[in-house]
Structure formats: structure tokens, C-alpha cells
Amino acid sequence: MKERFATVFSLLIMVTLVIGTWWAADYSQRAVAIDPPARKTHEPDSWSKNFVLLRTNPQGEVINRLEGDLLEHFPDDDSYDVEMPRAFGLRADAPLTLATSRKATLYDDGDRIVMRGDAVLLRLADATHAPLNFLSDEIVMLIDKDISYTDLPATAISGRSRMSGIGMRYNNATQQLDVLKSTNVEIAPKDTRENSNSPAPRPKP
């Protein structure tokens, strides 16, 4: 009888301890105010004025130079906003390029640059390539692939030839321009007078 009483008494003590512990934990949670999780807002945490960023290839050669009036970093998506950007393509094995716009956003550690507002990509002329102007309201530049594209209306101008369309893709490594949907094409005829010995015809009075 005494052994049964001791067992029952021990069980009662254990139940009391469990109930007391649960009550104390619940009371502590209700008594202490828990702060809500911090909201991620698109706000800059650092900035720089009149900056220069250089991007190199695995061999350490500079392949892109980015300048701007103002650079702001946003920690929520690890992006950078740029005011008045100027991006220079400096690959030794491809034509030099210069891209400008009113604003730009850098993603993927600077590998993808979205130029916005009067965006212009200029391929400079050299001994084998004529200059090319690629214009749109938004141009996306993939720096490592040396490719620029847009899904918006765009215009490409080379010399006296002009091509307009919706959606363009330019590969600077191959100098190939693809148009998703062409809307207008004006190709200037080649001037063959330089290869002719006869003088150019005069207009009739």
C-alpha cells in the first residue's frame, strides 16, 4: 500500500511540473512582445557619385567600363541604379561599343545592364566595320556574352541604311543584327561611281 501511494504521489508531482512548465512558457510568450519580421523595402544602403566600374574577363583584361553620375545599391535584390550611365565595350577581339541612356540598373554582379530612357548603343567604326547605331527606349546588355537586345520598338542605323522593328538582338562578337518583327527597312544603294572611269552624269537643265 505504501509503495502504491508513493508511485501515485510521484506521478502527481510529475504532472504538476509538466503543467507548471507549460503554463510558464505560455505566459512568457504572451507577456513578451515579439517584433514582426522586418520588411524588405527597395531602399538604397550605399551610394557613390561620379564613379567608374571595371569588369574583366578571366585573364584579367578589361572588357567593360561603366561610368555614371550617381550609383545606388539596393540590398533587397542586390541591384544598382545608375544616373546618366555610359558603358564602354572594350574587348580586344570585337568592335568597340558605347552605350548611353538616362538611367540604368545593374543585375547579376554587373553582368546584365538594363539601359532605360533614350538608350543608344553605338558600335564604333574601324578598318573593317562601319558604325552602327542601335536605338530604343530600353536596351539590355549581357556583358560576358557581348550581346545587346530589346523587346521594344527599336531602330538600327548604319550609314544611310535604316531598319526599324519590334524586338532586336545585336551580337557584337559576330556583328549580326537580328530583328524579331521588321516594320520598315531603308537600304541605301551602293555608290559605284568610284569604280567607274566615266564621270558622274549631270542633271539636265
Side-chain angles (χ1 to χ4, degrees), residues 1-22:
M1 186 68 181
K2 292 182 179 180
E3 294 179 355
R4 182 179 299 179
F5 177 77
T7 302
V8 172
F9 184 73
S10 299
L11 289 175
L12 288 175
I13 293 177
M14 292 179 62
V15 170
T16 302
L17 290 174
V18 170
I19 295 175
T21 303
W22 174 84

Side-chain angles (χ1 to χ4, degrees), residues 125-146:
D126 57 19
T128 57
H129 304 95
L132 172 68
N133 276 320
F134 179 20
L135 306 92
S136 182
D137 191 58
E138 178 179 295
I139 296 177
V140 180
M141 304 174 62
L142 305 179
I143 303 303
D144 287 346
K145 296 181 179 180
D146 207 9

Side-chain angles (χ1 to χ4, degrees), residues 101 103-107 112-116 138-141:
S101 62
K103 297 179 180 295
T105 303
L106 281 64
Y107 300 99
R112 180 165 57 100
I113 304 177
V114 182
M115 312 286 286
R116 298 188 180 92
E138 178 179 295
I139 296 177
V140 180
M141 304 174 62

Side-chain angles (χ1 to χ4, degrees), residues 55-59 61-65 87-98 110-111 126 129 141-148 171-175:
R55 187 174 181 87
T56 62
N57 60 14
Q59 290 73 38
E61 300 169 337
V62 177
I63 60 175
N64 181 262
R65 175 188 174 100
F88 301 84
L90 305 174
R91 292 178 181 271
D93 56 350
L96 301 181
T97 59
L98 167 62
D111 181 43
D126 57 19
H129 304 95
M141 304 174 62
L142 305 179
I143 303 303
D144 287 346
K145 296 181 179 180
D146 207 9
I147 291 175
S148 301
N171 188 327
N172 192 48
T174 61
Q175 295 87 58

Side-chain angles (χ1 to χ4, degrees), residues 132-200:
L132 172 68
N133 276 320
F134 179 20
L135 306 92
S136 182
D137 191 58
E138 178 179 295
I139 296 177
V140 180
M141 304 174 62
L142 305 179
I143 303 303
D144 287 346
K145 296 181 179 180
D146 207 9
I147 291 175
S148 301
Y149 69 90
T150 183
D151 296 327
L152 303 179
T155 300
I157 303 172
S158 180
R160 292 183 297 166
S161 299
R162 181 187 185 97
M163 179 180 295
S164 300
I166 299 176
M168 288 190 181
R169 179 184 177 93
Y170 173 66
N171 188 327
N172 192 48
T174 61
Q175 295 87 58
Q176 181 175 346
L177 178 68
D178 297 323
V179 182
L180 182 62
K181 182 179 179 182
S182 178
T183 58
N184 186 31
V185 178
E186 299 176 6
I187 300 178
K190 293 183 178 180
D191 191 353
T192 59
R193 289 181 297 175
E194 295 181 358
N195 299 327
S196 176
N197 294 325
S198 59

